[in-house]
mmCIF file of all heavy atoms in Angstrom:
data_model
loop_
_atom_site.group_PDB
_atom_site.id
_atom_site.type_symbol
_atom_site.label_atom_id
_atom_site.label_comp_id
_atom_site.label_asym_id
_atom_site.label_seq_id
_atom_site.Cartn_x
_atom_site.Cartn_y
_atom_site.Cartn_z
ATOM 1 N N ALA A 303 19.229 4.192 -17.636
ATOM 2 C CA ALA A 303 18.856 2.825 -17.994
ATOM 3 C C ALA A 303 19.384 2.468 -19.385
ATOM 4 O O ALA A 303 19.631 3.340 -20.223
ATOM 5 C CB ALA A 303 17.338 2.670 -17.960
ATOM 6 N N THR A 304 19.540 1.201 -19.643
ATOM 7 C CA THR A 304 19.989 0.729 -20.942
ATOM 8 C C THR A 304 19.011 1.164 -22.025
ATOM 9 O O THR A 304 17.797 1.009 -21.875
ATOM 10 C CB THR A 304 20.103 -0.806 -20.944
ATOM 11 O OG1 THR A 304 21.031 -1.204 -19.937
ATOM 12 C CG2 THR A 304 20.573 -1.308 -22.296
ATOM 13 N N GLY A 305 19.535 1.738 -23.084
ATOM 14 C CA GLY A 305 18.708 2.185 -24.191
ATOM 15 C C GLY A 305 18.178 3.589 -24.046
ATOM 16 O O GLY A 305 17.491 4.083 -24.948
ATOM 17 N N VAL A 306 18.493 4.262 -22.936
ATOM 18 C CA VAL A 306 18.030 5.626 -22.704
ATOM 19 C C VAL A 306 19.176 6.599 -22.924
ATOM 20 O O VAL A 306 20.263 6.423 -22.368
ATOM 21 C CB VAL A 306 17.465 5.795 -21.275
ATOM 22 C CG1 VAL A 306 17.061 7.241 -21.019
ATOM 23 C CG2 VAL A 306 16.286 4.848 -21.058
ATOM 24 N N THR A 307 18.944 7.623 -23.740
ATOM 25 C CA THR A 307 19.964 8.645 -23.962
ATOM 26 C C THR A 307 19.915 9.701 -22.868
ATOM 27 O O THR A 307 20.928 10.049 -22.286
ATOM 28 C CB THR A 307 19.778 9.303 -25.339
ATOM 29 O OG1 THR A 307 19.836 8.295 -26.352
ATOM 30 C CG2 THR A 307 20.874 10.338 -25.592
ATOM 31 N N GLN A 308 18.734 10.231 -22.570
ATOM 32 C CA GLN A 308 18.594 11.194 -21.477
ATOM 33 C C GLN A 308 17.190 11.160 -20.915
ATOM 34 O O GLN A 308 16.209 10.959 -21.640
ATOM 35 C CB GLN A 308 18.922 12.624 -21.928
ATOM 36 C CG GLN A 308 18.910 13.613 -20.758
ATOM 37 C CD GLN A 308 19.386 14.997 -21.147
ATOM 38 O OE1 GLN A 308 19.102 15.462 -22.231
ATOM 39 N NE2 GLN A 308 20.111 15.640 -20.263
ATOM 40 N N ALA A 309 17.103 11.336 -19.602
ATOM 41 C CA ALA A 309 15.819 11.484 -18.907
ATOM 42 C C ALA A 309 15.768 12.869 -18.288
ATOM 43 O O ALA A 309 16.777 13.380 -17.804
ATOM 44 C CB ALA A 309 15.662 10.416 -17.827
ATOM 45 N N VAL A 310 14.599 13.485 -18.314
ATOM 46 C CA VAL A 310 14.415 14.839 -17.783
ATOM 47 C C VAL A 310 13.177 14.889 -16.903
ATOM 48 O O VAL A 310 12.087 14.482 -17.331
ATOM 49 C CB VAL A 310 14.286 15.877 -18.922
ATOM 50 C CG1 VAL A 310 13.927 17.251 -18.352
ATOM 51 C CG2 VAL A 310 15.571 15.967 -19.725
ATOM 52 N N ASP A 311 13.350 15.366 -15.678
ATOM 53 C CA ASP A 311 12.235 15.669 -14.794
ATOM 54 C C ASP A 311 11.986 17.168 -14.903
ATOM 55 O O ASP A 311 12.778 17.970 -14.429
ATOM 56 C CB ASP A 311 12.588 15.284 -13.353
ATOM 57 C CG ASP A 311 11.451 15.540 -12.379
ATOM 58 O OD1 ASP A 311 10.471 16.214 -12.769
ATOM 59 O OD2 ASP A 311 11.539 15.069 -11.227
ATOM 60 N N VAL A 312 10.907 17.558 -15.560
ATOM 61 C CA VAL A 312 10.653 18.968 -15.843
ATOM 62 C C VAL A 312 10.386 19.755 -14.561
ATOM 63 O O VAL A 312 10.702 20.937 -14.465
ATOM 64 C CB VAL A 312 9.489 19.116 -16.837
ATOM 65 C CG1 VAL A 312 9.184 20.578 -17.119
ATOM 66 C CG2 VAL A 312 9.840 18.397 -18.145
ATOM 67 N N ALA A 313 9.798 19.116 -13.553
ATOM 68 C CA ALA A 313 9.662 19.684 -12.207
ATOM 69 C C ALA A 313 8.766 20.910 -12.118
ATOM 70 O O ALA A 313 8.845 21.673 -11.168
ATOM 71 C CB ALA A 313 11.045 20.021 -11.622
ATOM 72 N N ARG A 314 7.880 21.122 -13.084
ATOM 73 C CA ARG A 314 6.910 22.224 -13.030
ATOM 74 C C ARG A 314 5.551 21.717 -13.513
ATOM 75 O O ARG A 314 5.466 21.133 -14.596
ATOM 76 C CB ARG A 314 7.324 23.395 -13.920
ATOM 77 C CG ARG A 314 8.485 24.209 -13.409
ATOM 78 C CD ARG A 314 8.761 25.382 -14.341
ATOM 79 N NE ARG A 314 7.645 26.322 -14.405
ATOM 80 C CZ ARG A 314 7.438 27.312 -13.530
ATOM 81 N NH1 ARG A 314 8.263 27.465 -12.524
ATOM 82 N NH2 ARG A 314 6.410 28.129 -13.663
#
Side-chain angles (χ1 to χ4, degrees):
T304 301
V306 177
T307 302
Q308 186 173 37
V310 173
D311 182 348
V312 179
R314 287 183 63 84

